Amino acid sequence: MTGRLLAGSRAVRRTLVLGAVAALSMGLATVASPRAYAAADTLGAAAAQTGRYFGTAINASKLGDPAYTTIAAREFTMVTPENELTIDATEPRQGQFVFTNADRIVDWAEQNGKRVRGRALLWHSQQPSWLLNLSGSALRQAMLDHIDGVMSHYKGKIYAWDVVNEAFADGTGARRNSNFQRTGDDWIEAAFRAARAADPAAKLCYNDYNIEDWASAKTQAVYAMVKDFTSRGVPIDCVGFQAHFGSSTPYPDLRTTLQNFADLGVDVQITELDIPYALPATYAAVVGDCLAVPRCTGITVWGVRDSDSWRSTYTPLLFDGSGDKKPAYTAVLDALNAAAPSPSPTPAASCTATLHPTPYAGQKRHDRYTLGVTVTGTDDWIVTMTVPRPAKVVATRNVSARWNPATNVLTARPGGHGDSWGVTIKHHGNRTWPTVTCNPA
């Protein structure tokens, strides 16, 4: 992740041999499967045909770069804010939340039909000074309040959260000696229970690095925690494997690790993938291991272009600094396209949003009008409504919606009231109806 040194703290990380022999030895069984559908020409579309997502990390400061956003919009179906949802970014002062940059990413994702992973609610790194100065019960309560404050703001808008990030130490498998850990061994359980209460619909994940090798003590310690949680009903839905691979040790038995965690009844995800020098065979091996495990629900690469990477000198991503596709891109796309659908090919979901006039009870003002919106085709959707200026949306009903006055666009998702909802528009003399588009979430 951004903000960490490659050397020093990363020196003990499990890493890859990046040669083709190591990757090919993984036995990409899915490559030989017969294709039952047309080959896709983007990573997101190819992954979707296997029932998975393919995502990237997004930096809010780069959303003004058209080359960056063109690639991101075309290729990926999931986005993760790179550092915009860390504690120092969202709660720089206790009880005072700031979501400006994270909102930019979430808005962009919704407008482009992408889902969002949230990272990271609780992490030993990137903490504001006020939090570092707390301890004991005061820190525990602040921790829980932070979860509630952030998740409540994004309720219904975030597909999955990395509730806790990197809570285990390298090497021994012991808990990391963080300020959160010093509030008591139950802090991770408390965090997951608070997260479930804050947004019951969001998937809740534990995320870490160096847990790709099944034989490592750290992997075993995380596995033991997840096994304990699932046996006691502690709400945990997924485990994220960062997969910030290096170059000094053999490729881990990632497939075994993913399958063993999945057998506990949780989803598994590759959450922050980057590989030094982006050797194609190694990227294909990671994709193959995910495809071999039905509960591996998606892969996220940690950045769009090499120039956007936190370890850019290693050119670890699928697009070079000019935005051109690298050989690793082709290897990943070919591996996804060659995979058999899991469990069977599913037609791409679609949806339609239809506008109709709906006089609203009690509405007697003549400077505005009301419209109903009915969505068909899926129960999980994102509707984008573009309102002709100078008109603007002043109210919504029975929907979770966000109005962007800069673009005059309303982005709406289900609000727990079904697929019919309404808006009130103050027309300012322009009674032209808005246009709507619908994308499956």
Side-chain angles (χ1 to χ4, degrees), residues 113-384:
K114 316 297 181 188
R115 291 187 294 169
V116 182
R117 291 190 85 261
R119 157 213 176 267
L121 289 168
L122 298 181
W123 184 22
H124 66 88
S125 186
Q126 294 182 221
Q127 294 187 16
S129 58
W130 69 264
L131 190 66
L132 293 170
N133 290 329
L134 297 180
S135 61
S137 59
L139 174 58
R140 175 64 69 91
Q141 189 58 54
M143 174 190 94
L144 300 177
D145 290 345
H146 178 79
I147 292 172
D148 183 68
V150 176
M151 291 189 69
S152 294
H153 179 78
Y154 290 108
K155 187 174 183 178
K157 298 179 182 296
I158 302 290
Y159 153 76
W161 284 98
D162 293 334
V163 179
V164 173
N165 194 47
E166 302 177 5
F168 287 80
D170 293 312
T172 65
R175 291 281 186 92
R176 185 185 296 274
N177 185 24
S178 69
N179 54 344
F180 295 135
Q181 178 62 31
R182 291 190 290 273
T183 69
D185 284 342
D186 66 335
W187 76 274
I188 300 177
E189 177 177 343
F192 275 86
R193 292 192 183 280
R196 179 66 86 221
D199 188 352
K203 287 187 176 293
L204 308 180
C205 308
Y206 176 79
N207 191 53
D208 216 327
Y209 66 88
N210 263 10
I211 58 171
E212 295 81 18
D213 182 359
W214 178 243
S216 79
K218 184 175 181 179
T219 303
Q220 291 298 312
V222 174
Y223 178 85
M225 178 190 72
V226 176
K227 183 177 182 180
D228 172 59
F229 281 10
T230 57
S231 70
R232 293 191 295 111
V234 178
I236 183 170
D237 304 307
C238 42
V239 176
F241 299 79
Q242 291 182 16
H244 289 300
F245 289 126
S247 59
S248 64
T249 59
Y251 185 94
D253 189 359
L254 179 60
R255 188 174 303 188
T256 294
T257 303
L258 296 176
Q259 186 62 64
N260 287 343
F261 274 89
D263 288 343
L264 295 177
V266 295
D267 291 339
V268 291
Q269 301 168 351
I270 307 298
T271 54
E272 302 179 23
L273 178 63
D274 50 23
I275 299 172
Y277 313 114
L279 293 188
T282 308
Y283 260 108
V286 176
V287 173
D289 286 342
C290 179
L291 292 171
V293 178
R295 293 202 70 156
C296 184
T297 55
I299 297 171
T300 295
V301 290
W302 205 240
V304 176
R305 305 163 299 192
D306 285 336
S307 55
D308 307 313
S309 171
W310 69 288
R311 53 200 302 203
S312 59
T313 56
Y314 290 86
T315 60
L317 298 175
L318 302 178
F319 296 86
D320 65 21
S322 298
D324 293 326
K325 300 172 183 177
K326 296 163 61 175
Y329 173 95
T330 303
V332 169
L333 185 63
D334 287 349
L336 291 169
N337 274 326
S342 177
S344 60
T346 301
S350 63
C351 59
T352 301
T354 304
L355 297 175
H356 49 89
T358 54
Y360 188 51
Q363 180 61 269
K364 297 181 179 180
R365 301 175 66 175
H366 300 293
D367 62 344
R368 60 199 66 194
Y369 62 93
T370 59
L371 293 174
V373 186
T374 301
V375 180
T376 57
T378 179
D379 293 328
D380 192 9
W381 40 261
I382 300 173
V383 169
T384 302

Side-chain angles (χ1 to χ4, degrees), residues 24-83:
L24 292 174
S25 70
M26 296 306 296
L28 301 182
T30 56
V31 172
S33 301
R35 181 178 292 125
Y37 48 85
D41 60 0
T42 66
L43 301 172
Q49 291 187 132
T50 75
R52 294 166 175 82
Y53 66 80
F54 205 97
T56 189
I58 291 290
N59 189 312
S61 68
K62 297 178 180 178
L63 288 177
D65 178 352
Y68 179 87
T69 54
T70 295
I71 297 170
R74 182 188 71 223
E75 296 289 342
F76 303 105
T77 54
M78 185 78 69
V79 299
T80 304
E82 189 171 359
N83 286 293

